[in-house]
Amino acid sequence: GENVEQHPSTLSVQEGDSAVIKCTYSDSASNYFPWYKQELGKRPQLIIDIRSNVGEKKDQRIAVTLNKTAKHFSLHITETQPEDSAVYFCAAKKGAAGNKLTFGGGTRVLVKP
Amino acid sequence: NAGVTQTPKFQVLKTGQSMTLQCAQDMNHEYMSWYRQDPGMGLRLIHYSVGAGITDQGEVPNGYNVSRSTTEDFPLRLLSAAPSQTSVYFCASKGGSSTDTQYFGPGTRLTVL
């Protein structure tokens, strides 16, 4: 089955700096890659996603890039703010339909003011 | 719309007890899933459903049963609780094959003594 690895497990950045989280996946048939943000005690919330026919997607301060050949994708957060502090999860799914997401282990991001 | 709802929010069980975690969605979504989240780990898929009357096993199905008699409800049953099932359980739902976004419920924190 699919395996998703996520690095780093923790990331501390100064407010205003950029943060980058990287994920690799094992199944070349995977075609959908979402990123979720989870604040302490809350549910995961989708922040951005990308499909395999796109190499990059941006939404204000966050962006995701996908390298299908290398089977890795990354989340980029620019101009970090204290409210960006949370745990971020990447995930992968294959198939046109279906709902079987395989998650990475998560990255705890701390933005220091 | 209430979105995805879960009950109870917290539960403490003794080893060997059984219980049902409830999940409901009011978005007329075809797809529903159950995940568990252990401390410091990502979410792992327990069971999923692609429509009423159809369920299948995910990554970690042992010790759990599901059924999907209606589109709205997807209960998760613990047959004989074990300490290894101490976790936070999230239910999620997704629309049809034309969309990939999964929406998570608020979670149930389960402790098995």
Side-chain angles (χ1 to χ4, degrees):
Chain A
E2 175 66 279
N3 183 50
V4 178
E5 295 192 357
Q6 183 172 346
H7 298 281
S9 57
T10 59
L11 181 59
S12 182
V13 298
Q14 207 65 38
E15 182 178 358
D17 288 349
S18 295
V20 180
I21 304 170
K22 298 182 179 180
C23 288
T24 59
Y25 60 99
S26 61
D27 193 337
S28 57
S30 291
N31 58 4
Y32 173 68
F33 308 93
W35 285 89
Y36 285 85
K37 176 183 180 182
Q38 187 179 31
E39 297 176 348
L40 190 61
K42 301 289 181 64
R43 76 190 77 188
Q45 301 261 17
L46 180 72
I47 56 171
I48 195 167
D49 57 12
I50 192 168
R51 289 168 178 78
S52 58
N53 58 346
V54 176
E56 183 176 2
K57 184 177 179 181
K58 288 184 180 179
D59 183 3
Q60 298 183 339
R61 293 187 299 108
I62 60 173
V64 57
T65 58
L66 171 65
N67 183 327
K68 286 190 295 182
T69 303
K71 290 190 284 187
H72 68 69
F73 57 111
S74 300
L75 178 71
H76 304 253
I77 307 173
T78 59
E79 301 173 18
T80 53
Q81 301 168 4
E83 53 264 37
D84 294 329
S85 295
V87 179
Y88 293 80
F89 292 98
C90 64
K93 181 177 79 72
K94 66 180 179 182
N99 54 342
K100 293 177 63 177
L101 283 175
T102 301
F103 282 84
T107 297
R108 184 173 300 277
V109 174
L110 175 63
V111 180
K112 295 179 288 186
Chain B
N1 288 352
V4 182
T5 58
Q6 292 182 237
T7 57
K9 290 185 177 176
F10 302 94
Q11 183 70 49
V12 179
L13 293 178
K14 294 181 179 179
T15 297
Q17 288 185 314
S18 63
M19 79 159 295
T20 299
L21 308 186
Q22 301 292 344
C23 174
Q25 52 89 12
D26 61 359
M27 299 175 281
N28 201 32
H29 283 173
E30 294 179 51
Y31 299 89
M32 297 185 75
S33 308
W34 276 104
Y35 295 86
R36 61 177 286 174
Q37 184 176 33
D38 299 311
M41 295 182 67
L43 291 88
R44 291 183 292 170
L45 182 65
I46 305 171
H47 285 284
Y48 65 100
S49 169
V50 300
I54 306 169
T55 64
D56 206 346
Q57 296 181 350
E59 185 183 351
V60 288
N62 293 343
Y64 308 94
N65 274 355
V66 292
S67 60
R68 184 94 181 271
S69 56
T70 67
T71 299
E72 293 78 19
D73 300 297
F74 190 42
L76 178 73
R77 281 183 288 277
L78 279 71
L79 309 173
S80 177
S84 61
Q85 293 178 305
T86 294
S87 190
V88 180
Y89 292 84
F90 287 99
C91 179
S93 76
K94 172 179 105 64
S97 58
S98 62
T99 178
D100 288 306
T101 304
Q102 289 208 31
Y103 299 91
F104 283 85
T108 294
R109 184 174 295 274
L110 175 68
T111 301
V112 183
L113 303 175

